[in-house]
Amino acid sequence: MRKKYFGKLWLLLLASVAVFLIAIPGMTDNAEDEKTTTAPETKSDSEVTGGVSGLKAATDEDGNLRPLTVQESQELDKQLKKTLGKFKKHGPKTNPDGAISLITAPHSVELTILTDGPEGDSVHCMSAEELAAAAAKTEKAEEE
Amino acid sequence: MKKMKQAFLFFAIFVSVCALFASAEAATIELNNIDDDGVGFNDPTPASPVGGNTGTTVGAQRLQVFERAAEIWENALDSNVTIVVQSTFQDRGFTPCTPTSGAIGAATSLQIFANTPGLHWPNTWHKVALANKLANADQAPGPPDSGFLAEPFADDIIAFFNPNVGTAACLTTRVWYYGLDHNEGASGIDLLAVVLHEIGHGLGFANDVTEASGASPLGLPDVYSSFTYDNVVDKAWNQMHNAERAASAVRFRKVVFAGPEVTAEAPNVLTLGDVDLFITAPSSLSGTILLFGTAAFGPPATQANFSGNVVLGVDGVVGAGSPPGTVNDGCEPLTNGGAISGNIALVERGFCAFTVKVKNAQNAGATGVLVQNNAGGAFGMAGVDPTITIPSLGISTADGNLIRSNSGVAVALQSFPNRMVGADDDGRVMIFTPNPVQGGSSGSHWDQKPQPNLLMEPAINADLTDNLDLTDELLFDTSWDGDLHCPVTSDDRATVFLANGCNSGVANDLGPFVVFPELNNKKIAGPVAGGCYLADTLKYCSPRTGGDYASCVSQVTTALLNSGAINGSEKGAIQDCLDE
């Protein structure tokens, strides 16, 4: 899509250069310079990297990563709850023109959790909601 | 006069070209550093330059990493509205930690918007940075917020990073790596990869769905979910009601991202040549597919090196510990080498490193190893041991038990040379939908299967680079390139066809339009955006038959008529088709 976009851009740019040459004779060299200096940037971040088999973090259950232990989940949840409790949850705002906005932070925060273990470590994402659920689950299991 | 006209024409085109350039500017990402003096991003502790990072204090190095990540994202995206990332490397309570686990980072978009100017998908949530880009104006205007989560929430993304890593109370054995070369080593945590990942989420690589319930704010879908497609029920998530979405969220490796940009780019990124693991004997089980995870050590398992009879490994030692080992965990030398030799060893997960198990099986003459999970599904195995020369795979508890409860089980890997690793048969890349659901990870990441590893997998892997792989393409699909994209699953035929094959002759114009999915056979109150063409609005009626299908089509066409998407004669043409 970016290539297509830049293609259109180039067509318009070349058209403008052509009109420029018609309107102001004798500007050929400068126009050529302009064409050179306005070349669209190439995308440097999409190099092909196929063929490399990389390290996969240790996972558990149907693709899940190593779950937190009882102590870990309870401690992390305790620390986070203490913080999140200080921030109110916002409701949606609707404008007369139909636009809707909702402040989702900080309760929508996703944590990047690192767990160390005998089989190695893993780094994965976890929502505050999931962390609380994990802690509650382990608390319930302990009670039983 | 002619020259004046030419000059005017030139001026008009010049202005339009300038306007085009203005709309094509690379994005600007600014850090709103809200840390106090002397801590976090302002930490004055001296530090030696490392891995291309020239900063001479801890704070300066952290800033350089952030700036490098911002630069990478800026080069990938266009926006005339500055993206402000409120960021802190100070302990704010959002990075809880214990000595063995902890949040190293955290992030979220501060706000989401629907129905603001320029959005292509109606009644659909967009992250604020994307809403700003498409409106070409800041939807939450104002100078950078004055402090930590301070109103009016004019910033776009908030990101936290843990300053306590490596202390006695927090991930004791780990250390942040501030180099820009992704050379973090065994104990290092690559901050650059973490920042790239977190900004990716904040820009829109995340849905707004609570996967456990399928619910979303105000019942509206988000643009990311418009492309999240379930191959089992043939529906996108924005075409489902909550219960359907919750069910889809745990269909492991059955959910894909159906964006055209990602699907087009995937062959340039993913490795071609997938493999499945089959049971080949006994005949009663032959053809059964076993899900597996791969190992980071030893040679990759292939069709050529992974086939044979499976024999349970016995080491005869119950290792002392909590929990204790087992006689089949392979943590000690195997005692049934005679049976193992020339076959594939099956050992149980737990008690020791994966590399120890596989090495013991190798020493007993095994040609390959299956490690059976001790509590769950297929799993990948980390570790390093250059002396391991046989392939190994991690399988589920259930599949391991299936093998163990039958005699004479043989397995084999089969290659699918034309299928990409991590994509379905149609080339669409898998979304992470583990069972049970992992809130925060499920739905908003790539699956872990793709090779090479992708930036937005749920795990941040050690081989990541500056490459955004498929991440920017996914954002383009959600309109980050300014265009409306339709899922590759859309019905883009020129005219609207019904399930009975009848061509209504009604032009199948570009949408998206509004559909009314049903919940427990009752119409729900709110509209849900779905599909990109008129025909897609009828798609969810397809599973129904006979009168139910006709009733559904009637409801949808009435809704389309009321919304002005079709006129009365077009509704009539579709209705007439029902009778053919």
mmCIF file of all heavy atoms in Angstrom, chain B residues 152-169:
data_model
loop_
_atom_site.group_PDB
_atom_site.id
_atom_site.type_symbol
_atom_site.label_atom_id
_atom_site.label_comp_id
_atom_site.label_asym_id
_atom_site.label_seq_id
_atom_site.Cartn_x
_atom_site.Cartn_y
_atom_site.Cartn_z
ATOM 1 N N PRO B 152 -5.280 16.709 31.283
ATOM 2 C CA PRO B 152 -6.479 16.212 30.603
ATOM 3 C C PRO B 152 -6.247 14.973 29.743
ATOM 4 O O PRO B 152 -7.045 14.694 28.860
ATOM 5 C CB PRO B 152 -6.859 17.404 29.729
ATOM 6 C CG PRO B 152 -5.536 17.979 29.321
ATOM 7 C CD PRO B 152 -4.638 17.794 30.513
ATOM 8 N N PHE B 153 -5.212 14.227 29.926
ATOM 9 C CA PHE B 153 -4.919 13.047 29.107
ATOM 10 C C PHE B 153 -4.716 13.440 27.643
ATOM 11 O O PHE B 153 -5.330 12.886 26.738
ATOM 12 C CB PHE B 153 -6.013 11.982 29.238
ATOM 13 C CG PHE B 153 -6.206 11.509 30.643
ATOM 14 C CD1 PHE B 153 -7.274 11.952 31.408
ATOM 15 C CD2 PHE B 153 -5.303 10.628 31.217
ATOM 16 C CE1 PHE B 153 -7.442 11.523 32.711
ATOM 17 C CE2 PHE B 153 -5.465 10.194 32.522
ATOM 18 C CZ PHE B 153 -6.529 10.642 33.269
ATOM 19 N N ALA B 154 -3.884 14.441 27.449
ATOM 20 C CA ALA B 154 -3.569 14.878 26.081
ATOM 21 C C ALA B 154 -2.529 13.962 25.438
ATOM 22 O O ALA B 154 -2.391 13.950 24.217
ATOM 23 C CB ALA B 154 -3.046 16.311 26.094
ATOM 24 N N ASP B 155 -1.779 13.209 26.242
ATOM 25 C CA ASP B 155 -0.818 12.263 25.679
ATOM 26 C C ASP B 155 -1.568 11.093 25.041
ATOM 27 O O ASP B 155 -2.773 10.928 25.240
ATOM 28 C CB ASP B 155 0.128 11.756 26.769
ATOM 29 C CG ASP B 155 0.996 12.879 27.343
ATOM 30 O OD1 ASP B 155 1.044 13.965 26.716
ATOM 31 O OD2 ASP B 155 1.600 12.671 28.399
ATOM 32 N N ASP B 156 -0.845 10.293 24.270
ATOM 33 C CA ASP B 156 -1.511 9.231 23.508
ATOM 34 C C ASP B 156 -1.263 7.833 24.065
ATOM 35 O O ASP B 156 -2.135 6.977 24.018
ATOM 36 C CB ASP B 156 -1.026 9.299 22.053
ATOM 37 C CG ASP B 156 -1.266 10.672 21.460
ATOM 38 O OD1 ASP B 156 -2.404 11.156 21.575
ATOM 39 O OD2 ASP B 156 -0.320 11.263 20.927
ATOM 40 N N ILE B 157 -0.070 7.600 24.523
ATOM 41 C CA ILE B 157 0.314 6.275 25.020
ATOM 42 C C ILE B 157 0.992 6.492 26.360
ATOM 43 O O ILE B 157 1.677 7.505 26.554
ATOM 44 C CB ILE B 157 1.301 5.590 24.039
ATOM 45 C CG1 ILE B 157 0.639 5.351 22.669
ATOM 46 C CG2 ILE B 157 1.830 4.264 24.610
ATOM 47 C CD1 ILE B 157 1.629 4.926 21.576
ATOM 48 N N ILE B 158 0.805 5.563 27.280
ATOM 49 C CA ILE B 158 1.592 5.620 28.508
ATOM 50 C C ILE B 158 2.397 4.331 28.618
ATOM 51 O O ILE B 158 1.880 3.237 28.341
ATOM 52 C CB ILE B 158 0.731 5.860 29.759
ATOM 53 C CG1 ILE B 158 1.631 6.025 30.981
ATOM 54 C CG2 ILE B 158 -0.303 4.765 29.968
ATOM 55 C CD1 ILE B 158 0.966 6.680 32.161
ATOM 56 N N ALA B 159 3.670 4.470 28.973
ATOM 57 C CA ALA B 159 4.550 3.302 29.066
ATOM 58 C C ALA B 159 5.359 3.370 30.352
ATOM 59 O O ALA B 159 5.851 4.441 30.732
ATOM 60 C CB ALA B 159 5.486 3.247 27.858
ATOM 61 N N PHE B 160 5.449 2.233 31.026
ATOM 62 C CA PHE B 160 6.186 2.133 32.287
ATOM 63 C C PHE B 160 7.331 1.141 32.100
ATOM 64 O O PHE B 160 7.165 0.114 31.441
ATOM 65 C CB PHE B 160 5.298 1.577 33.405
ATOM 66 C CG PHE B 160 3.963 2.232 33.553
ATOM 67 C CD1 PHE B 160 2.896 1.852 32.751
ATOM 68 C CD2 PHE B 160 3.748 3.205 34.511
ATOM 69 C CE1 PHE B 160 1.646 2.435 32.893
ATOM 70 C CE2 PHE B 160 2.501 3.794 34.663
ATOM 71 C CZ PHE B 160 1.451 3.402 33.848
ATOM 72 N N PHE B 161 8.433 1.412 32.724
ATOM 73 C CA PHE B 161 9.544 0.453 32.711
ATOM 74 C C PHE B 161 10.076 0.319 34.132
ATOM 75 O O PHE B 161 10.085 1.284 34.911
ATOM 76 C CB PHE B 161 10.634 0.913 31.739
ATOM 77 C CG PHE B 161 10.106 1.080 30.353
ATOM 78 C CD1 PHE B 161 9.730 2.330 29.881
ATOM 79 C CD2 PHE B 161 9.917 -0.023 29.529
ATOM 80 C CE1 PHE B 161 9.183 2.486 28.620
ATOM 81 C CE2 PHE B 161 9.371 0.119 28.264
ATOM 82 C CZ PHE B 161 9.010 1.377 27.810
ATOM 83 N N ASN B 162 10.507 -0.895 34.458
ATOM 84 C CA ASN B 162 10.812 -1.235 35.848
ATOM 85 C C ASN B 162 12.257 -0.867 36.204
ATOM 86 O O ASN B 162 13.202 -1.463 35.668
ATOM 87 C CB ASN B 162 10.585 -2.733 36.068
ATOM 88 C CG ASN B 162 10.567 -3.106 37.530
ATOM 89 O OD1 ASN B 162 11.207 -2.444 38.354
ATOM 90 N ND2 ASN B 162 9.846 -4.166 37.857
ATOM 91 N N PRO B 163 12.446 0.081 37.141
ATOM 92 C CA PRO B 163 13.805 0.486 37.506
ATOM 93 C C PRO B 163 14.456 -0.462 38.507
ATOM 94 O O PRO B 163 15.646 -0.346 38.786
ATOM 95 C CB PRO B 163 13.580 1.853 38.164
ATOM 96 C CG PRO B 163 12.224 1.737 38.782
ATOM 97 C CD PRO B 163 11.418 0.841 37.884
ATOM 98 N N ASN B 164 13.664 -1.398 39.051
ATOM 99 C CA ASN B 164 14.177 -2.237 40.136
ATOM 100 C C ASN B 164 14.769 -3.566 39.673
ATOM 101 O O ASN B 164 15.205 -4.367 40.504
ATOM 102 C CB ASN B 164 13.052 -2.508 41.148
ATOM 103 C CG ASN B 164 12.520 -1.228 41.750
ATOM 104 O OD1 ASN B 164 13.292 -0.329 42.083
ATOM 105 N ND2 ASN B 164 11.198 -1.112 41.859
ATOM 106 N N VAL B 165 14.719 -3.824 38.364
ATOM 107 C CA VAL B 165 15.249 -5.101 37.857
ATOM 108 C C VAL B 165 16.701 -5.283 38.315
ATOM 109 O O VAL B 165 17.530 -4.376 38.196
ATOM 110 C CB VAL B 165 15.171 -5.138 36.319
ATOM 111 C CG1 VAL B 165 15.958 -6.310 35.753
ATOM 112 C CG2 VAL B 165 13.718 -5.204 35.868
ATOM 113 N N GLY B 166 16.986 -6.477 38.829
ATOM 114 C CA GLY B 166 18.350 -6.776 39.265
ATOM 115 C C GLY B 166 18.602 -6.511 40.735
ATOM 116 O O GLY B 166 19.695 -6.799 41.236
ATOM 117 N N THR B 167 17.591 -5.989 41.445
ATOM 118 C CA THR B 167 17.751 -5.779 42.885
ATOM 119 C C THR B 167 17.306 -7.054 43.621
ATOM 120 O O THR B 167 16.722 -7.964 43.023
ATOM 121 C CB THR B 167 16.907 -4.587 43.369
ATOM 122 O OG1 THR B 167 15.521 -4.880 43.134
ATOM 123 C CG2 THR B 167 17.276 -3.320 42.622
ATOM 124 N N ALA B 168 17.553 -7.081 44.922
ATOM 125 C CA ALA B 168 17.243 -8.285 45.697
ATOM 126 C C ALA B 168 15.751 -8.610 45.661
ATOM 127 O O ALA B 168 15.352 -9.770 45.715
ATOM 128 C CB ALA B 168 17.700 -8.091 47.142
ATOM 129 N N ALA B 169 14.920 -7.599 45.535
ATOM 130 C CA ALA B 169 13.476 -7.820 45.588
ATOM 131 C C ALA B 169 12.859 -8.028 44.218
ATOM 132 O O ALA B 169 11.671 -8.332 44.104
ATOM 133 C CB ALA B 169 12.804 -6.628 46.269
#
